[in-house]
Amino acid sequence: MEHTYVGPGLMIDGEVSGRGDIQVLGLVKGAVNLQNGLFIELGGVVEAEVAANEVEIKGYVKGQINAHDRVEMKPGGKMIGDIRAPRIIIADGATIKGKIDMDVGA
Amino acid sequence: MKDQHSVISDGIRVSGTIEAAEDLLIRGRVDGDISSSQTVLIDVSGIVKGTLRAQTVIVRGVMVGDVHTKTITQLANEGRMVGNIYSPQVVLDEGAAFRGRIDMGEKVGEESPSRDERNNRFGSSGRGSSNREKQASPWGAPSPSKPAEREPAADTKESTVVAIKEDAPAEAEAREKKKAKS
């Protein structure tokens, strides 16, 4: 299935939802509610409450992320906000300010 | 469409506004306004509900709402649209379904811009919102012919006269002197 591509010249302000992967090089504001993956590339900015199966960050995210499967922060990726996911990977060179919750049963 | 363009794929729904400085292909659903300085293509599976402002719009899917373009709006044969079109050029292909008004603005009665002119305008980075000025007088009367257009016509007439009287050397000489003075 062809994925959704938010190019560097595109700005979405509102709610993005549905099936299929989304690759972001532009700007997405508001809310993202996805059954698949959200890929924030270098230069991409997401200022939103994110719910997705998988999130990969090479760009910039401000907001909360709630992933069903995993969140991966790649080198150069920046995040301000909380992450909640069963699997979280933060690579060397990625920066984050916020809480991390892997839902560890205490 | 250029190679570099954004895609909203089938299965994705956007509720909100979109601003684009690059071509946009819509195969999913957009509820909200779109403002683009480039081309917006609503493909067969695409649905847009809202106001769409762009350089060029092509509808193969469903468009509900007004469309404002700077160059051309095309409703392709599978396209369905309810709303008004404000565009200097409008193409409705056979098989397209449309309900609404078409307003080609002040361009009515004038020659449509040449392909070169259109391409030049396509390259400009103007925002879609600036075409509001054009809507100020939607059905304005075609402007009266400018005096500048008449002058070249008079020139051609004169040159024909010269051609006919060319075998009268004295007169031709006088004419040349006159030209030299001016």
Short mmCIF file of all heavy atoms in Angstrom, two decimals, chain A residues 32-105:
data_model
loop_
_atom_site.label_atom_id
_atom_site.label_comp_id
_atom_site.label_asym_id
_atom_site.label_seq_id
_atom_site.Cartn_x
_atom_site.Cartn_y
_atom_site.Cartn_z
N VAL A 32 -2.47 12.89 15.74
CA VAL A 32 -2.26 11.81 14.77
C VAL A 32 -2.76 10.52 15.41
O VAL A 32 -2.37 10.17 16.52
CB VAL A 32 -0.77 11.67 14.40
CG1 VAL A 32 -0.56 10.51 13.44
CG2 VAL A 32 -0.23 12.95 13.79
N ASN A 33 -3.64 9.84 14.72
CA ASN A 33 -4.24 8.62 15.23
C ASN A 33 -4.14 7.55 14.15
O ASN A 33 -4.95 7.52 13.23
CB ASN A 33 -5.71 8.93 15.55
CG ASN A 33 -6.22 8.05 16.65
OD1 ASN A 33 -5.84 6.88 16.73
ND2 ASN A 33 -7.07 8.60 17.49
N LEU A 34 -3.13 6.70 14.26
CA LEU A 34 -2.79 5.80 13.16
C LEU A 34 -2.79 4.35 13.59
O LEU A 34 -2.36 4.02 14.70
CB LEU A 34 -1.36 6.11 12.67
CG LEU A 34 -1.13 7.13 11.59
CD1 LEU A 34 0.33 7.06 11.20
CD2 LEU A 34 -2.01 6.86 10.38
N GLN A 35 -3.20 3.47 12.68
CA GLN A 35 -3.09 2.03 12.97
C GLN A 35 -1.73 1.49 12.53
O GLN A 35 -1.41 0.35 12.83
CB GLN A 35 -4.21 1.28 12.24
CG GLN A 35 -5.56 1.52 12.89
CD GLN A 35 -6.70 0.97 12.05
OE1 GLN A 35 -6.54 -0.01 11.33
NE2 GLN A 35 -7.84 1.61 12.15
N ASN A 36 -0.96 2.29 11.83
CA ASN A 36 0.33 1.83 11.33
C ASN A 36 1.45 2.74 11.84
O ASN A 36 1.36 3.25 12.94
CB ASN A 36 0.31 1.76 9.80
CG ASN A 36 -0.77 0.83 9.29
OD1 ASN A 36 -1.95 1.12 9.45
ND2 ASN A 36 -0.38 -0.28 8.71
N GLY A 37 2.48 2.93 11.02
CA GLY A 37 3.66 3.64 11.48
C GLY A 37 3.70 5.12 11.13
O GLY A 37 3.22 5.52 10.08
N LEU A 38 4.29 5.89 12.04
CA LEU A 38 4.55 7.31 11.77
C LEU A 38 6.06 7.49 11.72
O LEU A 38 6.76 7.18 12.68
CB LEU A 38 3.93 8.17 12.88
CG LEU A 38 4.20 9.67 12.79
CD1 LEU A 38 3.51 10.28 11.58
CD2 LEU A 38 3.72 10.38 14.07
N PHE A 39 6.56 7.98 10.61
CA PHE A 39 8.00 8.14 10.42
C PHE A 39 8.30 9.62 10.26
O PHE A 39 7.92 10.23 9.24
CB PHE A 39 8.46 7.34 9.19
CG PHE A 39 8.17 5.87 9.32
CD1 PHE A 39 6.95 5.35 8.92
CD2 PHE A 39 9.10 5.02 9.89
CE1 PHE A 39 6.67 3.99 9.06
CE2 PHE A 39 8.83 3.66 10.03
CZ PHE A 39 7.61 3.15 9.62
N ILE A 40 8.97 10.21 11.24
CA ILE A 40 9.30 11.63 11.19
C ILE A 40 10.74 11.75 10.72
O ILE A 40 11.67 11.41 11.44
CB ILE A 40 9.09 12.29 12.56
CG1 ILE A 40 7.62 12.11 12.99
CG2 ILE A 40 9.44 13.77 12.53
CD1 ILE A 40 7.47 11.50 14.34
N GLU A 41 10.90 12.20 9.50
CA GLU A 41 12.22 12.26 8.89
C GLU A 41 12.96 13.53 9.31
O GLU A 41 12.38 14.44 9.89
CB GLU A 41 12.07 12.24 7.35
CG GLU A 41 11.31 11.05 6.81
CD GLU A 41 12.02 9.72 7.03
OE1 GLU A 41 13.24 9.72 7.24
OE2 GLU A 41 11.33 8.69 7.00
N LEU A 42 14.23 13.58 8.94
CA LEU A 42 15.05 14.76 9.22
C LEU A 42 14.38 15.98 8.57
O LEU A 42 14.08 15.96 7.38
CB LEU A 42 16.45 14.54 8.63
CG LEU A 42 17.49 15.63 8.92
CD1 LEU A 42 17.82 15.67 10.40
CD2 LEU A 42 18.75 15.37 8.12
N GLY A 43 14.12 17.00 9.35
CA GLY A 43 13.42 18.19 8.83
C GLY A 43 11.93 18.16 9.11
O GLY A 43 11.26 19.18 9.04
N GLY A 44 11.41 16.98 9.40
CA GLY A 44 9.98 16.86 9.70
C GLY A 44 9.67 17.30 11.12
O GLY A 44 10.47 17.09 12.03
N VAL A 45 8.52 17.94 11.29
CA VAL A 45 8.11 18.43 12.61
C VAL A 45 6.69 17.94 12.90
O VAL A 45 5.79 18.13 12.09
CB VAL A 45 8.15 19.97 12.67
CG1 VAL A 45 7.63 20.47 14.02
CG2 VAL A 45 9.56 20.49 12.42
N VAL A 46 6.53 17.32 14.06
CA VAL A 46 5.20 16.90 14.49
C VAL A 46 4.93 17.53 15.85
O VAL A 46 5.65 17.28 16.82
CB VAL A 46 5.10 15.35 14.57
CG1 VAL A 46 3.78 14.94 15.22
CG2 VAL A 46 5.21 14.74 13.18
N GLU A 47 3.93 18.39 15.89
CA GLU A 47 3.50 18.98 17.17
C GLU A 47 2.11 18.48 17.43
O GLU A 47 1.12 19.10 17.04
CB GLU A 47 3.53 20.52 17.08
CG GLU A 47 4.94 21.08 16.95
CD GLU A 47 4.97 22.59 16.84
OE1 GLU A 47 3.93 23.23 17.06
OE2 GLU A 47 6.04 23.12 16.52
N ALA A 48 2.04 17.30 18.03
CA ALA A 48 0.72 16.67 18.12
C ALA A 48 0.71 15.58 19.20
O ALA A 48 1.75 15.09 19.63
CB ALA A 48 0.36 16.06 16.78
N GLU A 49 -0.50 15.20 19.57
CA GLU A 49 -0.71 14.01 20.37
C GLU A 49 -0.70 12.85 19.37
O GLU A 49 -1.51 12.83 18.45
CB GLU A 49 -2.08 14.06 21.05
CG GLU A 49 -2.30 15.30 21.92
CD GLU A 49 -1.40 15.28 23.14
OE1 GLU A 49 -1.50 14.32 23.93
OE2 GLU A 49 -0.57 16.20 23.29
N VAL A 50 0.24 11.92 19.56
CA VAL A 50 0.38 10.84 18.58
C VAL A 50 -0.03 9.51 19.18
O VAL A 50 0.43 9.13 20.25
CB VAL A 50 1.85 10.75 18.09
CG1 VAL A 50 2.01 9.58 17.12
CG2 VAL A 50 2.28 12.05 17.42
N ALA A 51 -0.90 8.81 18.47
CA ALA A 51 -1.21 7.42 18.79
C ALA A 51 -0.97 6.63 17.52
O ALA A 51 -1.55 6.92 16.49
CB ALA A 51 -2.65 7.29 19.26
N ALA A 52 -0.06 5.63 17.61
CA ALA A 52 0.27 4.86 16.40
C ALA A 52 0.79 3.49 16.82
O ALA A 52 1.04 3.23 18.01
CB ALA A 52 1.31 5.59 15.56
N ASN A 53 0.96 2.61 15.86
CA ASN A 53 1.53 1.31 16.17
C ASN A 53 3.03 1.44 16.39
O ASN A 53 3.58 0.86 17.31
CB ASN A 53 1.23 0.34 15.02
CG ASN A 53 1.60 -1.08 15.38
OD1 ASN A 53 1.17 -1.58 16.42
ND2 ASN A 53 2.40 -1.73 14.54
N GLU A 54 3.64 2.25 15.54
CA GLU A 54 5.09 2.38 15.56
C GLU A 54 5.46 3.83 15.23
O GLU A 54 4.84 4.43 14.36
CB GLU A 54 5.65 1.44 14.47
CG GLU A 54 7.14 1.41 14.37
CD GLU A 54 7.59 0.61 13.14
OE1 GLU A 54 6.77 -0.13 12.55
OE2 GLU A 54 8.75 0.76 12.76
N VAL A 55 6.46 4.35 15.93
CA VAL A 55 6.90 5.72 15.64
C VAL A 55 8.42 5.75 15.53
O VAL A 55 9.11 5.18 16.38
CB VAL A 55 6.44 6.72 16.75
CG1 VAL A 55 6.92 8.13 16.44
CG2 VAL A 55 4.93 6.69 16.92
N GLU A 56 8.90 6.38 14.47
CA GLU A 56 10.34 6.51 14.29
C GLU A 56 10.66 8.00 14.16
O GLU A 56 10.04 8.70 13.36
CB GLU A 56 10.76 5.77 13.02
CG GLU A 56 12.26 5.63 12.88
CD GLU A 56 12.63 4.89 11.60
OE1 GLU A 56 12.51 3.66 11.56
OE2 GLU A 56 13.01 5.57 10.64
N ILE A 57 11.63 8.48 14.96
CA ILE A 57 11.90 9.92 15.00
C ILE A 57 13.33 10.23 14.56
O ILE A 57 14.29 9.88 15.23
CB ILE A 57 11.68 10.47 16.43
CG1 ILE A 57 10.27 10.12 16.92
CG2 ILE A 57 11.90 11.97 16.48
CD1 ILE A 57 10.08 10.29 18.41
N LYS A 58 13.41 10.89 13.41
CA LYS A 58 14.70 11.45 12.97
C LYS A 58 14.61 12.98 12.99
O LYS A 58 15.61 13.66 12.89
CB LYS A 58 15.02 10.99 11.54
CG LYS A 58 15.38 9.53 11.43
CD LYS A 58 15.64 9.17 9.98
CE LYS A 58 15.73 7.68 9.77
NZ LYS A 58 15.49 7.34 8.35
N GLY A 59 13.40 13.48 13.06
CA GLY A 59 13.16 14.93 13.07
C GLY A 59 12.82 15.42 14.47
O GLY A 59 13.51 15.08 15.43
N TYR A 60 11.74 16.19 14.57
CA TYR A 60 11.39 16.84 15.83
C TYR A 60 9.94 16.55 16.21
O TYR A 60 9.04 16.66 15.37
CB TYR A 60 11.60 18.35 15.68
CG TYR A 60 11.17 19.18 16.87
CD1 TYR A 60 11.97 19.24 18.01
CD2 TYR A 60 9.98 19.90 16.83
CE1 TYR A 60 11.59 20.01 19.10
CE2 TYR A 60 9.59 20.68 17.92
CZ TYR A 60 10.39 20.73 19.05
OH TYR A 60 10.01 21.49 20.12
N VAL A 61 9.75 16.19 17.48
CA VAL A 61 8.40 15.93 17.96
C VAL A 61 8.16 16.69 19.25
O VAL A 61 8.99 16.69 20.15
CB VAL A 61 8.16 14.42 18.23
CG1 VAL A 61 6.75 14.20 18.80
CG2 VAL A 61 8.33 13.60 16.97
N LYS A 62 7.02 17.39 19.30
CA LYS A 62 6.60 18.03 20.55
C LYS A 62 5.20 17.54 20.85
O LYS A 62 4.28 17.78 20.06
CB LYS A 62 6.62 19.55 20.38
CG LYS A 62 6.45 20.30 21.67
CD LYS A 62 6.57 21.79 21.41
CE LYS A 62 6.34 22.57 22.69
NZ LYS A 62 6.36 24.01 22.43
N GLY A 63 5.04 16.84 21.97
CA GLY A 63 3.73 16.29 22.31
C GLY A 63 3.88 14.93 22.96
O GLY A 63 4.98 14.55 23.37
N GLN A 64 2.80 14.22 23.09
CA GLN A 64 2.83 12.88 23.70
C GLN A 64 2.82 11.84 22.59
O GLN A 64 2.15 12.02 21.58
CB GLN A 64 1.57 12.67 24.54
CG GLN A 64 1.14 13.85 25.37
CD GLN A 64 1.84 13.89 26.71
OE1 GLN A 64 2.39 12.88 27.16
NE2 GLN A 64 1.83 15.03 27.36
N ILE A 65 3.56 10.74 22.85
CA ILE A 65 3.49 9.62 21.91
C ILE A 65 3.00 8.39 22.65
O ILE A 65 3.51 8.04 23.72
CB ILE A 65 4.86 9.33 21.28
CG1 ILE A 65 5.31 10.49 20.39
CG2 ILE A 65 4.81 8.05 20.44
CD1 ILE A 65 6.68 10.29 19.77
N ASN A 66 2.02 7.75 22.06
CA ASN A 66 1.49 6.52 22.62
C ASN A 66 1.54 5.47 21.51
O ASN A 66 0.76 5.53 20.57
CB ASN A 66 0.03 6.79 23.05
CG ASN A 66 -0.39 5.85 24.15
OD1 ASN A 66 0.05 4.71 24.18
ND2 ASN A 66 -1.24 6.34 25.03
N ALA A 67 2.51 4.53 21.63
CA ALA A 67 2.67 3.55 20.55
C ALA A 67 2.28 2.15 21.04
O ALA A 67 2.59 1.77 22.16
CB ALA A 67 4.10 3.54 20.05
N HIS A 68 1.59 1.42 20.18
CA HIS A 68 1.20 0.05 20.52
C HIS A 68 2.40 -0.87 20.53
O HIS A 68 2.48 -1.78 21.34
CB HIS A 68 0.19 -0.47 19.49
CG HIS A 68 -1.21 -0.19 19.86
ND1 HIS A 68 -1.91 0.89 19.35
CD2 HIS A 68 -2.06 -0.82 20.72
CE1 HIS A 68 -3.12 0.89 19.88
NE2 HIS A 68 -3.24 -0.12 20.71
N ASP A 69 3.31 -0.66 19.62
CA ASP A 69 4.43 -1.58 19.46
C ASP A 69 5.75 -0.94 19.93
O ASP A 69 6.30 -1.33 20.94
CB ASP A 69 4.52 -2.04 18.00
CG ASP A 69 5.61 -3.07 17.79
OD1 ASP A 69 5.97 -3.73 18.78
OD2 ASP A 69 6.10 -3.20 16.66
N ARG A 70 6.24 0.05 19.16
CA ARG A 70 7.56 0.57 19.51
C ARG A 70 7.75 2.03 19.09
O ARG A 70 7.08 2.53 18.18
CB ARG A 70 8.65 -0.28 18.86
CG ARG A 70 8.69 -0.18 17.36
CD ARG A 70 9.44 -1.36 16.79
NE ARG A 70 10.88 -1.15 16.84
CZ ARG A 70 11.60 -0.68 15.82
NH1 ARG A 70 11.01 -0.32 14.69
NH2 ARG A 70 12.89 -0.55 15.92
N VAL A 71 8.71 2.67 19.81
CA VAL A 71 9.14 4.02 19.44
C VAL A 71 10.65 3.96 19.31
O VAL A 71 11.34 3.44 20.19
CB VAL A 71 8.75 5.06 20.51
CG1 VAL A 71 9.35 6.42 20.19
CG2 VAL A 71 7.24 5.16 20.64
N GLU A 72 11.16 4.45 18.20
CA GLU A 72 12.60 4.47 18.01
C GLU A 72 13.06 5.89 17.73
O GLU A 72 12.60 6.53 16.78
CB GLU A 72 13.02 3.53 16.87
CG GLU A 72 14.53 3.50 16.71
CD GLU A 72 15.03 2.39 15.79
OE1 GLU A 72 14.22 1.61 15.29
OE2 GLU A 72 16.27 2.33 15.59
N MET A 73 13.99 6.36 18.56
CA MET A 73 14.59 7.68 18.32
C MET A 73 15.95 7.46 17.67
O MET A 73 16.83 6.85 18.24
CB MET A 73 14.73 8.45 19.62
CG MET A 73 13.37 8.80 20.22
SD MET A 73 13.48 10.17 21.35
CE MET A 73 14.04 11.48 20.29
N LYS A 74 16.08 8.00 16.47
CA LYS A 74 17.32 7.83 15.71
C LYS A 74 18.29 8.97 16.05
O LYS A 74 17.85 10.01 16.57
CB LYS A 74 17.00 7.87 14.21
CG LYS A 74 16.09 6.75 13.74
CD LYS A 74 16.89 5.49 13.51
CE LYS A 74 16.05 4.47 12.73
NZ LYS A 74 16.79 3.23 12.51
N PRO A 75 19.58 8.82 15.72
CA PRO A 75 20.53 9.90 15.99
C PRO A 75 20.06 11.21 15.34
O PRO A 75 19.67 11.21 14.18
CB PRO A 75 21.82 9.41 15.32
CG PRO A 75 21.67 7.94 15.23
CD PRO A 75 20.22 7.65 15.11
N GLY A 76 20.09 12.29 16.10
CA GLY A 76 19.63 13.58 15.57
C GLY A 76 18.17 13.86 15.87
O GLY A 76 17.72 14.99 15.76
N GLY A 77 17.43 12.83 16.23
CA GLY A 77 16.02 13.02 16.56
C GLY A 77 15.85 13.80 17.85
O GLY A 77 16.64 13.64 18.78
N LYS A 78 14.82 14.67 17.88
CA LYS A 78 14.57 15.47 19.09
C LYS A 78 13.12 15.28 19.53
O LYS A 78 12.21 15.25 18.70
CB LYS A 78 14.79 16.96 18.78
CG LYS A 78 16.23 17.37 18.72
CD LYS A 78 16.32 18.90 18.66
CE LYS A 78 17.76 19.39 18.73
NZ LYS A 78 18.54 18.99 17.53
N MET A 79 12.94 15.18 20.84
CA MET A 79 11.60 14.95 21.34
C MET A 79 11.38 15.74 22.62
O MET A 79 12.20 15.71 23.53
CB MET A 79 11.46 13.44 21.60
CG MET A 79 10.31 13.04 22.48
SD MET A 79 8.87 12.61 21.49
CE MET A 79 7.57 12.74 22.72
N ILE A 80 10.27 16.48 22.68
CA ILE A 80 9.86 17.12 23.92
C ILE A 80 8.46 16.60 24.23
O ILE A 80 7.52 16.87 23.50
CB ILE A 80 9.86 18.67 23.79
CG1 ILE A 80 11.29 19.16 23.54
CG2 ILE A 80 9.30 19.31 25.06
CD1 ILE A 80 11.42 20.64 23.29
N GLY A 81 8.37 15.81 25.29
CA GLY A 81 7.09 15.22 25.66
C GLY A 81 7.28 13.79 26.13
O GLY A 81 8.40 13.27 26.16
N ASP A 82 6.20 13.17 26.49
CA ASP A 82 6.26 11.84 27.08
C ASP A 82 6.05 10.74 26.04
O ASP A 82 5.30 10.91 25.09
CB ASP A 82 5.18 11.70 28.16
CG ASP A 82 5.33 12.78 29.23
OD1 ASP A 82 6.43 13.37 29.31
OD2 ASP A 82 4.36 13.04 29.96
N ILE A 83 6.74 9.62 26.28
CA ILE A 83 6.59 8.46 25.39
C ILE A 83 6.04 7.29 26.20
O ILE A 83 6.54 6.98 27.29
CB ILE A 83 7.94 8.04 24.76
CG1 ILE A 83 8.54 9.17 23.93
CG2 ILE A 83 7.76 6.81 23.87
CD1 ILE A 83 9.91 8.84 23.35
N ARG A 84 5.06 6.66 25.64
CA ARG A 84 4.52 5.45 26.27
C ARG A 84 4.45 4.37 25.20
O ARG A 84 3.76 4.53 24.18
CB ARG A 84 3.14 5.76 26.82
CG ARG A 84 2.54 4.67 27.65
CD ARG A 84 1.09 5.02 27.96
NE ARG A 84 0.40 3.85 28.43
CZ ARG A 84 0.03 3.68 29.70
NH1 ARG A 84 0.24 4.63 30.59
NH2 ARG A 84 -0.59 2.58 30.07
N ALA A 85 5.22 3.28 25.41
CA ALA A 85 5.25 2.18 24.45
C ALA A 85 5.90 0.97 25.10
O ALA A 85 6.75 1.13 25.99
CB ALA A 85 6.02 2.57 23.19
N PRO A 86 5.55 -0.27 24.70
CA PRO A 86 6.21 -1.44 25.28
C PRO A 86 7.69 -1.54 24.92
O PRO A 86 8.48 -2.07 25.70
CB PRO A 86 5.42 -2.63 24.71
CG PRO A 86 4.57 -2.10 23.63
CD PRO A 86 4.43 -0.63 23.83
N ARG A 87 8.07 -1.03 23.77
CA ARG A 87 9.49 -1.07 23.38
C ARG A 87 9.92 0.33 22.96
O ARG A 87 9.29 0.95 22.09
CB ARG A 87 9.68 -2.03 22.20
CG ARG A 87 9.46 -3.48 22.59
CD ARG A 87 10.00 -4.40 21.53
NE ARG A 87 9.16 -4.35 20.33
CZ ARG A 87 9.63 -4.61 19.12
NH1 ARG A 87 10.91 -4.90 18.94
NH2 ARG A 87 8.83 -4.57 18.07
N ILE A 88 10.99 0.82 23.59
CA ILE A 88 11.49 2.16 23.26
C ILE A 88 12.98 2.08 23.04
O ILE A 88 13.72 1.54 23.86
CB ILE A 88 11.15 3.17 24.39
CG1 ILE A 88 9.63 3.29 24.54
CG2 ILE A 88 11.75 4.54 24.07
CD1 ILE A 88 9.18 4.11 25.73
N ILE A 89 13.43 2.60 21.90
CA ILE A 89 14.85 2.60 21.57
C ILE A 89 15.29 4.05 21.43
O ILE A 89 14.67 4.81 20.66
CB ILE A 89 15.11 1.85 20.24
CG1 ILE A 89 14.63 0.40 20.37
CG2 ILE A 89 16.58 1.91 19.85
CD1 ILE A 89 13.98 -0.13 19.14
N ILE A 90 16.34 4.43 22.14
CA ILE A 90 16.89 5.78 21.98
C ILE A 90 18.35 5.64 21.55
O ILE A 90 19.18 5.16 22.32
CB ILE A 90 16.78 6.60 23.28
CG1 ILE A 90 15.30 6.71 23.70
CG2 ILE A 90 17.38 7.99 23.11
CD1 ILE A 90 15.06 7.42 24.99
N ALA A 91 18.63 6.04 20.35
CA ALA A 91 19.97 5.89 19.80
C ALA A 91 20.90 6.98 20.36
O ALA A 91 20.43 8.03 20.81
CB ALA A 91 19.92 5.97 18.28
N ASP A 92 22.19 6.71 20.29
CA ASP A 92 23.20 7.69 20.70
C ASP A 92 23.07 8.90 19.77
O ASP A 92 23.11 8.76 18.55
CB ASP A 92 24.58 7.04 20.57
CG ASP A 92 25.67 7.93 21.13
OD1 ASP A 92 25.33 8.93 21.80
OD2 ASP A 92 26.85 7.63 20.90
N GLY A 93 22.91 10.08 20.35
CA GLY A 93 22.77 11.30 19.54
C GLY A 93 21.35 11.79 19.46
O GLY A 93 21.10 12.89 18.96
N ALA A 94 20.42 11.02 19.98
CA ALA A 94 19.03 11.49 20.03
C ALA A 94 18.82 12.23 21.35
O ALA A 94 19.48 11.92 22.35
CB ALA A 94 18.07 10.32 19.93
N THR A 95 17.94 13.25 21.33
CA THR A 95 17.70 13.99 22.57
C THR A 95 16.22 13.96 22.93
O THR A 95 15.35 14.02 22.05
CB THR A 95 18.14 15.46 22.44
OG1 THR A 95 17.57 16.02 21.26
CG2 THR A 95 19.65 15.59 22.37
N ILE A 96 15.99 13.85 24.23
CA ILE A 96 14.60 13.80 24.69
C ILE A 96 14.45 14.51 26.03
O ILE A 96 15.32 14.46 26.88
CB ILE A 96 14.10 12.34 24.79
CG1 ILE A 96 12.68 12.29 25.39
CG2 ILE A 96 15.05 11.47 25.60
CD1 ILE A 96 11.96 11.00 25.20
N LYS A 97 13.33 15.21 26.16
CA LYS A 97 12.97 15.80 27.44
C LYS A 97 11.54 15.37 27.71
O LYS A 97 10.61 15.82 27.03
CB LYS A 97 13.06 17.32 27.36
CG LYS A 97 12.80 18.01 28.68
CD LYS A 97 12.98 19.51 28.54
CE LYS A 97 12.75 20.19 29.87
NZ LYS A 97 12.89 21.63 29.77
N GLY A 98 11.38 14.46 28.66
CA GLY A 98 10.04 13.97 28.96
C GLY A 98 10.10 12.64 29.67
O GLY A 98 11.17 12.11 29.96
N LYS A 99 8.95 12.11 29.96
CA LYS A 99 8.85 10.85 30.69
C LYS A 99 8.81 9.67 29.72
O LYS A 99 8.30 9.79 28.61
CB LYS A 99 7.57 10.84 31.52
CG LYS A 99 7.70 11.62 32.81
CD LYS A 99 6.50 11.36 33.71
CE LYS A 99 5.21 11.83 33.08
NZ LYS A 99 4.03 11.69 33.95
N ILE A 100 9.34 8.55 30.21
CA ILE A 100 9.26 7.33 29.42
C ILE A 100 8.53 6.27 30.22
O ILE A 100 8.84 6.05 31.40
CB ILE A 100 10.66 6.86 29.01
CG1 ILE A 100 11.20 7.83 27.97
CG2 ILE A 100 10.65 5.44 28.50
CD1 ILE A 100 12.39 7.38 27.24
N ASP A 101 7.57 5.65 29.59
CA ASP A 101 6.79 4.63 30.28
C ASP A 101 6.70 3.40 29.39
O ASP A 101 6.08 3.43 28.33
CB ASP A 101 5.39 5.23 30.57
CG ASP A 101 4.53 4.25 31.35
OD1 ASP A 101 4.97 3.09 31.54
OD2 ASP A 101 3.43 4.65 31.75
N MET A 102 7.37 2.30 29.84
CA MET A 102 7.29 1.06 29.07
C MET A 102 6.23 0.13 29.64
O MET A 102 6.20 -1.05 29.31
CB MET A 102 8.66 0.37 29.05
CG MET A 102 9.70 1.14 28.26
SD MET A 102 11.14 0.13 28.05
CE MET A 102 12.28 1.27 27.31
N ASP A 103 5.42 0.69 30.50
CA ASP A 103 4.31 -0.05 31.10
C ASP A 103 4.80 -1.30 31.84
O ASP A 103 4.27 -2.40 31.65
CB ASP A 103 3.27 -0.43 30.02
CG ASP A 103 1.87 -0.48 30.61
OD1 ASP A 103 1.72 -0.06 31.78
OD2 ASP A 103 0.95 -0.92 29.91
N VAL A 104 5.84 -1.09 32.65
CA VAL A 104 6.39 -2.20 33.42
C VAL A 104 5.46 -2.45 34.61
O VAL A 104 5.21 -1.56 35.41
CB VAL A 104 7.81 -1.85 33.94
CG1 VAL A 104 8.43 -3.03 34.63
CG2 VAL A 104 8.67 -1.37 32.80
N GLY A 105 4.96 -3.68 34.70
CA GLY A 105 4.08 -4.01 35.82
C GLY A 105 4.87 -4.02 37.13
O GLY A 105 5.85 -4.75 37.26
#
